[in-house]
């Protein structure tokens, strides 16, 4: 299949059925509502219910989902987005809310349009990753850049809807918080619009807002999904002053990757993140670049443990789940010391990506999925991690921040993910979670910001 072209119709991926989400056993607070008004409305609807009953309800969660229209397998030299949109079923979030309210859970409609969120919101993300205090206090003056292909004409309007619902401060072009430019930096000569990439852009913008609500946001739109144009957009983001750049796309590795490294992704003093991929075990680029933080994906569920959450490797099937693996071309960075991969190993860290435990996104551009949607894929985890870097503060001017989590390896600054796999491999840790470092989840997920600063 080809990469979507400008003005192309939304390209549907295959419908997928996710099995039951693992039980969530407590955490009876109603999460996902950022404002006092929304929290109050949800809380008044709750009734007494045991943790066992909540777990039984959440265990029923199952969803259908499809690749976003920008996720078709790309031709050589192009990238696809790593976004997956829920199109049916009930998410873990919906099942938990139903259990707490004592009602039958609603289902996601075929076009996924909804008048309220059906996935995790800012309070969930901040709670799961120990970021509530940092999100309230940090991020002012920091800019997180989102790099995607093509234009989302409704990006600013949809961002405003998301932030208003969750009670976040305004982030607009008028107040200087939000800026949208082309890969050349133009605010007026933008790429052609594309509904598939618009969904990806909404996901990315909303994840920055959820994780670092005080951050400024720069959206840089490449004129196509070619590696060269996306790389040029990364360069433009850095040129415009962003110290944190998220890339929620990827494609097959090639012998050109090492030249792309030096041309586009080698930026000292800038935290650049890249999605590990959504097709299960296997390496893709730019996650394989030694100059980026490669971000894997997890299934995130509420729990009765002290953290209140638990995570495992996200896997739906042998070809559907977080990416990982040993690069065929990129040299191993000095700070990466796993024994069995002589080149760059993917991933470094991870965050929520399973569509069944997915995140809420508001998107109004395109013929389907208009309104509130739930998204998954490592397209959710990459901007989340870029925003954690922003909460941690500006990197050292000569640093490559992908190294930072390795200095915190094995400490309480990271939640070690020790269960699950993303496929079959000859070297176990390349595809299977274990204590310490593993390919699918790296050193784990954030617990606060300490693992993301030099």
């Amino acid at each position: 299949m080809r990469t979507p072209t400008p003005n192309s119709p939304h390209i549907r991926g295959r419908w997928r059925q996710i099995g039951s989400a693992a039980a969530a056993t407590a955490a009876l607070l109603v999460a996902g509502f950022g404002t006092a008004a929304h929290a109050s409305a949800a809380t008044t609807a709750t009734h007494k219910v045991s943790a066992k009953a909540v777990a039984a309800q959440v265990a029923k969660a199952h969803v259908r989902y499809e690749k976003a229209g920008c996720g078709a397998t790309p031709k050589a030299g192009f990238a696809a987005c790593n976004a997956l949109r829920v199109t049916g079923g009930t998410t873990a979030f919906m099942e938990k809310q139903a259990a707490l309210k004592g009602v039958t859970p609603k289902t996601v409609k075929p076009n996924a349009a909804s008048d309220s969120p059906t996935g995790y919101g800012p309070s969930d993300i901040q709670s799961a990753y120990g970021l509530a205090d940092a999100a309230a206090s940090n991020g002012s003056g920091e800019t997180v850049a989102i790099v995607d292909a093509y234009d989302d004409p409704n990006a600013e309007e949809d961002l405003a809807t998301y932030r208003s619902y969750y009670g976040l401060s305004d982030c607009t072009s008028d107040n200087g918080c939000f800026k949208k430019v082309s890969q050349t930096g133009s605010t007026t000569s933008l790429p052609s619009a594309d509904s598939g990439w618009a969904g990806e852009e909404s996901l990315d913008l909303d994840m920055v807002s959820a994780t670092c609500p005080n951050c400024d946001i720069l959206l840089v739109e490449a004129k196509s999904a070619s590696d060269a144009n996306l790389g040029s957009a990364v360069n433009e983001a850095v040129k415009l002053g962003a110290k944190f750049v998220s890339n929620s796309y990827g494609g097959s590795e090639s012998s050109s990757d090492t030249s792309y490294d030096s041309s586009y992704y080698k930026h000292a003093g800038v935290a650049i993140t890249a999605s590990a991929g959504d097709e299960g075990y296997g390496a893709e680029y730019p996650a394989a670049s030694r100059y980026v933080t490669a971000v894997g994906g997890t299934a995130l569920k509420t729990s009765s443990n002290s953290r209140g959450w638990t995570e495992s490797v996200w896997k739906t099937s042998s070809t559907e789940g977080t990416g990982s693996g040993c690069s065929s071309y990129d040299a191993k960075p000095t700070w990466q010391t796993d024994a069995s991969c002589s080149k760059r190993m993917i991933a470094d860290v991870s965050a929520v990506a399973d569509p069944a435990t997915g995140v809420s996104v508001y998107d109004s551009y395109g013929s389907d999925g208009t309104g509130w949607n739930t998204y998954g894929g490592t397209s959710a985890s990459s901007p989340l991690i870029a925003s954690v870097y922003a909460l941690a503060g500006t990197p050292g001017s000569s640093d490559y921040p992908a190294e930072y989590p390795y200095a915190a390896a094995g400490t309480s600054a990271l939640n070690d993910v020790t269960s699950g796999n993303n496929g079959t491999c000859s070297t176990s840790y390349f595809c299977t979670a274990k204590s310490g470092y593993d390919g699918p989840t790296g050193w784990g997920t954030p617990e606060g910001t300490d693992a993301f600063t030099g």
Side-chain angles (χ1 to χ4, degrees), residues 35-398:
T35 66
H38 289 133
S40 176
T43 301
T44 57
T46 62
H47 70 297
K48 290 184 178 181
V49 57
S50 69
K52 183 177 179 179
V54 173
Q57 185 85 12
V58 172
K60 299 176 183 178
H62 62 281
V63 300
R64 294 184 297 276
Y65 62 89
E66 65 182 13
K67 288 185 178 181
C70 49
T73 302
K75 63 183 180 182
F78 284 74
C81 69
N82 287 309
L84 303 169
R85 188 175 69 86
V86 172
T87 56
T90 57
T91 66
F93 176 87
M94 296 167 72
E95 292 284 1
K96 186 179 77 168
Q97 301 309 306
L100 293 171
K101 297 175 184 178
V103 299
T104 301
K106 295 180 179 180
T107 59
V108 176
K109 302 299 183 183
N111 282 343
S114 174
D115 59 2
S116 62
T118 54
Y120 292 143
S123 65
D124 298 294
I125 291 168
Q126 293 170 24
S127 169
Y129 298 119
L131 299 171
D133 289 344
S137 304
N138 301 354
S140 295
E142 305 287 9
T143 297
V144 179
I146 296 299
V147 171
D148 284 312
Y150 303 113
D151 179 41
D152 176 2
N154 298 353
E156 184 169 358
E157 177 184 347
D158 291 348
L159 177 64
T161 298
Y162 180 91
R163 293 178 71 102
S164 175
Y165 181 89
Y166 287 111
L168 306 179
S169 60
D170 291 342
C171 188
T172 67
S173 54
D174 286 342
N175 67 16
C177 174
F178 176 75
K179 186 175 184 179
K180 181 174 75 171
V181 301
S182 71
Q183 70 184 64
T184 63
S186 174
T187 58
T188 55
S189 181
L190 297 170
S192 299
D194 182 275
S195 62
W197 279 96
E200 170 66 62
E201 290 173 44
S202 291
L203 167 60
D204 293 344
L205 297 175
D206 292 352
M207 286 305 92
V208 178
S209 296
T211 310
C212 186
N214 294 325
C215 283
D216 292 343
I217 306 175
L218 172 65
L219 173 59
V220 186
E221 298 177 331
K223 65 181 179 181
S224 80
S226 73
D227 294 334
N229 284 325
L230 288 164
S232 294
V234 172
N235 287 343
E236 185 64 27
V238 176
K239 178 183 175 181
L240 292 175
K243 297 298 183 183
F244 315 94
V245 183
S246 174
N247 305 277
S248 291
Y249 56 82
S252 299
E253 289 190 286
S254 78
S255 58
S256 299
D257 292 349
T258 54
S259 65
Y260 291 154
D261 276 356
S262 57
S263 296
Y264 305 126
Y265 298 100
K266 186 179 181 181
H267 294 284
V270 180
I272 301 177
T273 63
S275 299
D278 294 347
E279 297 182 351
Y281 175 65
E284 69 174 45
Y285 191 86
S289 171
R290 55 179 166 161
Y291 298 114
V292 312
T293 300
V295 186
T298 67
L300 173 69
K301 300 135 188 167
T302 54
S303 172
S304 59
N305 62 19
S306 58
R307 178 186 170 195
W309 300 86
T310 186
E311 289 175 278
S312 58
V313 176
W314 163 46
K315 175 189 175 185
T316 303
S317 70
S318 61
T319 58
E320 297 172 339
T322 183
S324 71
C326 183
S327 173
S328 298
Y329 301 98
D330 242 79
K332 198 173 196 69
T334 57
W335 38 262
Q336 194 173 56
T337 59
D338 61 292
S340 297
C341 174
S342 62
K343 293 190 181 295
R344 172 46 161 142
M345 186 68 193
I346 302 167
D348 299 312
V349 292
S350 50
V352 60
D354 187 344
T357 66
V359 297
S360 284
V361 174
Y362 190 85
D363 174 41
S364 68
Y365 185 71
S367 59
D368 62 354
T370 300
W372 287 102
N373 292 266
T374 294
Y375 271 84
T378 53
S379 278
S381 51
S382 177
L384 194 161
I385 293 297
S387 301
V388 176
Y389 274 111
L391 289 173
T394 305
S397 61
S398 61

Side-chain angles (χ1 to χ4, degrees), residues 297-299 305 307 309-314 350 410 414-422 428-429 431-445:
T298 67
N305 62 19
R307 178 186 170 195
W309 300 86
T310 186
E311 289 175 278
S312 58
V313 176
W314 163 46
S350 50
L414 291 162
N415 301 302
D416 193 8
V417 181
T418 60
S419 64
N421 67 80
N422 64 346
S428 178
Y429 79 88
C431 64
T432 303
K434 67 179 187 65
S435 179
Y437 181 83
D438 58 72
T441 66
W443 283 108
T445 63

